[in-house]
Amino acid sequence: MTTFLGMPTASPTVHLRTGESFPDAARTGLADSQQRHNLRVATTTIREKRAGVVAELDDWEQLRAAGAAIKDATLAELPDHLERFEAAVTERGGTVHWARDGDEANAIVTRLIQATGETDVVKVKSMATEEIGLNEALATAGITATETDLAELIVQLGDDRPSHILVPAIHRNRSEIRDIFRDHMDDVDPGLTNDPEALAGAARLYLRRRFLSAKVAISGANFGVAETGTLCVLESEGNGRMCLTLPRTLITVMGIEKLVPTWRDLEVFLQLLPRSSTGERMNPYTSMWTGATEGQDFHVVLLDNGRTATLADPHGRSALRCIRCSACLNVCPVYERAGGHAYGSVYPGPIGAVLSPQLTGVKDNPSLPFASSLCGACYDVCPVAIDIPTMLVHLRAEVVAAKREEHRVPTAEAASMTAAAWTMTSRRRWTAALRSLSLGRVARRMPALPPPLSSWARSRDLPQMPRETLRDWWVREGSDVPPAAPEEDA
């Protein structure tokens, strides 16, 4: 089934790719022992909390299935739901803008802020605005955007990059955060300690001045309800509610896949999201608003940025079910060791390994589909049952096909796969190849393997090869039933 939104597509922009491949970037993360320690402690804590609250629900699997079904049905009729949403927002005094890519979205938001005459705005944590690099675009236009989510504020003050969808500063420990606050916060107590209460108090004082002076706020949205034009933000600190109510101009940037048709559908996700993200039964702050309040100017920017192309891919569209809970990150052994920066995208971890290449095309993100052990833990915890391992295999096939089109001369990988296929189609060749593996015992004693094996062995230990193959052992033991073997040459 092909779904077409009737919109021209444009190239996705900004924070979905870097020039460095995942293996190269991951080496930096693996060498950072402090980061690996911080990640292990944080993800272990969140994993245990999530497992506890999920186990309380007897119908968790039914909720997962319901979430997946609602998302799939919504995506199948997305054009209709978007039109209903636009009509409802407009009817209630809001203005809807359509953005094909990040550049268009940034231009729209910049123009709206400039119309107010303001140069300082506050922001609620938003993955969509991270994706399009809105802060950087506003800075170019002379507008300062202050992040009000504590973790996002830490990242912003430290001139750092987010490394986790839900906890952007997860790679930082309390002492590092204290140092950032001391160096970059105005009027901070020089004797500030790394006590969590003291750090939260310093951030509260810093942000309170900005909340009370800001005339413009920017938010994302966890969900939009098509039937009423309602938007919904879930957060844990109350900063979102301050941003949504105090400023006189509110601009919301939302990906087009965030819609649910009705309030009844929203109820399912309000159970799935908090349990999967922070391991809580319900979210501390759930803010919903419908249209503009009295005296407030309200705008919604609906962002495509590659989502239409993803929707058109029958194998990859289920990535658009994602509700950004980050449960898949917290169970991923690759993420826990390499860290979020290695993925080169605002969407790290298993979901980033599929979502980023889907949004940009695999040619722009060829290494991310391989940033996984395919262990399947991400699928087990996904609240909307996205089959990430299967999608990764699909994307890997696309990467191989893309390389084949680009390179007339086969790559070393392609040549290796061709040789392996030739070997495995003959019992005689396969048996000889297995026996030759015993030579690996000699190679294991070598200080370094020659190219191209050196590329493989650079980050892996060469396993100890057995002296004898299973097939030879079987024959030597005199068994009457030989082990399974490839067919003879045709």
Side-chain angles (χ1 to χ4, degrees), residues 368-433:
L368 282 186
F370 299 90
S372 170
S373 64
L374 300 181
C375 67
C378 49
Y379 172 66
D380 292 340
V381 298
C382 178
V384 285
I386 301 174
D387 189 352
I388 294 176
T390 298
M391 294 178 65
L392 287 169
V393 173
H394 163 66
L395 290 171
R396 290 179 185 187
E398 287 197 354
V399 172
V400 171
K403 287 183 178 178
R404 190 180 297 130
E405 289 180 2
E406 289 181 358
H407 301 282
R408 293 186 177 180
V409 178
T411 63
E413 181 186 32
S416 300
M417 291 298 107
T418 301
W422 178 78
T423 303
M424 296 173 75
T425 52
S426 162
R427 178 174 180 174
R428 179 173 49 81
R429 291 194 291 265
W430 177 243
T431 301

Side-chain angles (χ1 to χ4, degrees), residues 38-60:
N38 296 345
L39 286 174
R40 185 174 64 254
V41 172
T43 56
T44 300
T45 302
I46 300 173
R47 273 201 306 269
E48 292 174 351
K49 285 185 64 180
R50 177 204 164 274
V53 296
V54 165
E56 295 174 351
L57 296 182
D58 294 333
D59 62 346
W60 178 253

Side-chain angles (χ1 to χ4, degrees), residues 121-174:
V121 302
V122 289
K123 276 187 66 194
V124 188
K125 180 179 182 296
S126 159
M127 295 306 298
T129 59
E130 289 284 348
E131 175 186 321
I132 62 178
L134 179 62
N135 286 7
E136 291 83 348
L138 294 179
T140 303
I143 299 169
T144 301
T146 299
E147 297 287 351
T148 61
D149 174 85
L150 178 57
E152 283 287 353
L153 179 65
I154 293 166
V155 169
Q156 185 178 46
L157 292 176
D159 194 22
D160 200 353
R161 290 183 294 138
S163 64
H164 191 278
I165 291 176
L166 185 69
V167 194
I170 196 172
H171 57 291
R172 298 286 195 182
N173 60 28
R174 285 185 285 160

Side-chain angles (χ1 to χ4, degrees), residues 11-19 343-346 356 359-361 364-365:
S11 299
T13 50
V14 199
H15 293 162
L16 292 173
R17 64 174 81 87
T18 64
Y343 293 80
S345 166
V346 297
S356 301
L359 293 176
T360 65
D364 281 350
N365 263 310

Side-chain angles (χ1 to χ4, degrees), residues 8 11 21 47 99 101 103 172 224 232 264 268 285 324 427 478:
S11 299
S21 69
R47 273 201 306 269
D101 59 16
D103 290 340
R172 298 286 195 182
C232 176
R264 188 167 186 175
V268 173
Y285 293 90
R324 313 289 193 264
R427 178 174 180 174

